[in-house]
Amino acid sequence: PFDVLVVGAGPAGSAAAIYSARKGIRTGVIAERLGGQVMDTMAIENFISVPYTEGPKLVAASEAHMKEYDIDIMTGFMAKSIERENDLIKLTLSNGAQLVTKAMILATGARWRLMNVPGENEYRNKGVAFCPHCDGPLFKGKPIAVIGGGNSGIEAAIDLAGISSHVTVLEFSDTLRADKVLQDKANSLSNITIIKNAQTTEVLGDGKKVTGLKYTDRTNNESKELSVDGIFVQIGLLPNTEWLKDSIELNRMGEIVTDNHQATSMPGVYAAGDATDVPYKQIIISMGEGAKASLGAFDYLIRQK
Ligand code: FAD
C-alpha cells in the first residue's frame, strides 16, 4: 500500500504530495488531470513572490517540483469511491481498479457553475471571469457586470465597485439572496446598479474580448443589452465531491468538512483546497492547506502501530 495517496493534482494536491514525499514515505497522486483549475487560468498576479505568471506555466513548474521527488503520479483516472477496511483506506476508480493506502488526502477541487449561454465559453479569460480577487484589477476604471445576487455576487459587486467604474448586478429572480448587511452596503454605493428579474441570455464580444451582454427582463419578456468590459459569473462554486457523499461528512454546500489539521470524518483521510469548507478559494490558500493536510496525515501515520 501507499503511505499517502493524494486524490487531485491541482495546487492543493501538488503541495500535499511534495510535503509527503519529503518525509521519505511512499507517496502517490491520482488525478483526472494535472493542474486542475489553474490549467484554465491565464494571468495570475496574486501568487506571492511571482508578480506575474500564467496558469499552464505554474502547472508546469509544480509538475517539475513534484518530479524532484519519488512520487508515483497517475493521471487520467477518476476516483469513484473510498472505504475504510481495517487500518487501510481503499480507493476505487471509475475503471474498477483499486488502490490501497494507509492515509489519504482529498484535493479534488471545485468548478464554477456556468450560465450556459452563447459567448460564455468563447470569451472565458477575455472578459468572462469568475474570481474577483484574481481578475478584478484587470477592469480598473471600466464598466462590468456581476451575474448573481447571492452572497458571492453582492460581495463581488462591493469589491469590484472600488476598482471598476460601474457595476451592474443581474439577478434572475425577483429577490436578492444575499445577506441584508451586504445588500445595504451595495445599495449605499453610488456606482452599483442592481437589476432583478434579469435572465442573461448571451455574452457579446468583438471576436477578441467582451463588449457587453444581452438579458431578458422577465417581467415583460423584453430583450435588453448592456455595454460592459467584464462579466463576473457568481452563481455558485460546485465542489468535486459528489463521489464522497456516502463516505465523508460534507456540509450543506457539498464541501468536505475539515478540522484545523485538515482531518475529515474518516480516520486517516485528510482534505485540502477548494473541495473543502476552507473560506476563500485561491491558489496560495490551496497550497498552504495542502501542506497542512500532508503534515496532518504524517502525524496520523506516526501514531499508527
Ligand atoms: P483544483 O485546481 O480544482 O484541482 C482539482 C484536482 O482534482 C484536479 O487535478 C482534477 O483533475 C482532480 N479531480 C477532481 N475530481 C476528481 C476525481 N473524482 N478523481 C480524480 N481526480 C479528480 N486563484 C488564484 O489564487 N489566483 C488567480 O489568479 C486565479 N484565477 C482563476 C481563474 C479561473 C478561470 C479559475 C477557474 C480559478 C482561478 N483561481 C485563481 C482559483 C484557483 O484556481 C483555485 O482556488 C485552485 O486551483 C484550487 O486548487 P485545488 O487543488 O483545491 O483544486
Side-chain angles (χ1 to χ4, degrees):
F2 287 101
D3 290 313
V4 170
L5 181 60
V6 181
V7 188
S14 307
I18 290 168
Y19 265 71
S20 290
R22 284 173 55 78
K23 294 291 186 191
I25 58 181
R26 190 166 171 231
T27 304
V29 176
I30 187 129
E32 188 188 6
R33 94 181 156 144
L34 213 68
Q37 292 167 74
V38 181
M39 239 8 226
D40 304 327
T41 303
M42 284 317 296
I44 299 169
E45 301 181 349
N46 58 2
F47 189 61
I48 307 312
S49 84
V50 182
Y52 179 91
T53 187
E54 284 166 5
K57 260 192 183 165
L58 183 57
V59 173
S62 300
E63 183 181 7
H65 197 170
M66 278 198 281
K67 286 187 169 158
E68 292 283 312
Y69 298 95
D70 188 14
I71 300 172
D72 194 349
I73 304 173
M74 299 159 273
T75 55
F77 298 101
M78 281 299 278
K80 204 177 113 201
S81 62
I82 56 171
E83 61 188 306
R84 209 177 144 86
E85 228 175 52
N86 304 318
D87 287 338
L88 296 173
I89 299 137
K90 196 166 77 185
L91 175 74
T92 304
L93 304 180
S94 59
N95 67 8
Q98 293 189 322
L99 296 169
V100 175
T101 183
K102 292 178 188 159
M104 179 176 283
I105 296 169
L106 302 169
T108 47
R111 59 194 190 273
W112 293 96
R113 192 196 293 271
L114 304 177
M115 298 183 287
N116 287 318
V117 300
E120 180 180 40
N121 230 351
E122 186 185 348
Y123 291 106
R124 218 176 154 148
N125 290 321
K126 296 172 187 158
V128 174
F130 297 88
C131 174
H133 318 299
C134 314
D135 297 338
L138 304 176
F139 301 97
K140 193 166 183 231
K142 295 176 175 162
I144 57 141
V146 169
I147 313 301
N151 278 337
S152 52
I154 301 301
E155 277 170 16
I158 295 166
D159 176 353
L160 295 164
I163 303 170
S164 63
S165 59
H166 192 93
V167 182
T168 307
V169 177
L170 299 179
E171 161 60 40
F172 178 84
S173 74
D174 60 0
T175 40
L176 298 180
R177 282 158 296 125
D179 296 342
K180 180 146 188 319
V181 282
L182 292 173
Q183 294 192 36
D184 291 347
K185 175 82 192 194
N187 287 327
S188 77
L189 296 171
S190 60
N191 64 339
I192 297 183
T193 307
I194 297 172
I195 306 177
K196 294 174 197 165
N197 291 302
Q199 176 171 15
T200 310
T201 53
E202 190 175 347
V203 171
L204 305 172
D206 61 9
K208 285 188 194 134
K209 56 182 182 49
V210 166
T211 56
L213 60 78
K214 261 191 194 163
Y215 68 95
T216 303
D217 179 344
R218 297 174 62 235
T219 58
N220 56 15
N221 253 339
E222 226 176 86
S223 179
K224 297 190 172 162
E225 271 188 40
L226 191 69
S227 275
V228 290
D229 287 7
I231 301 171
F232 283 81
V233 183
Q234 298 289 306
I235 53 178
L237 184 66
L238 306 172
N240 299 320
T241 56
E242 293 84 356
W243 63 287
L244 295 165
K245 66 179 192 313
D246 297 327
S247 48
I248 297 276
E249 185 189 351
L250 307 177
N251 68 13
R252 189 171 56 79
M253 268 113 78
E255 299 166 334
I256 301 168
V257 176
T258 54
D259 71 9
N260 62 2
H261 285 64
Q262 307 304 122
T264 71
S265 60
M266 187 183 283
V269 179
Y270 293 72
D274 283 14
T276 71
D277 57 358
V278 65
Y280 314 120
K281 279 40 181 182
Q282 294 281 276
I283 296 166
I284 200 159
I285 291 174
S286 297
M287 285 190 182
E289 298 270 306
K292 262 167 72 186
S294 180
L295 298 175
F298 188 70
D299 263 353
Y300 164 84
L301 285 173
I302 59 177
R303 282 169 175 75
Q304 302 305 300
K305 278 195 257 15

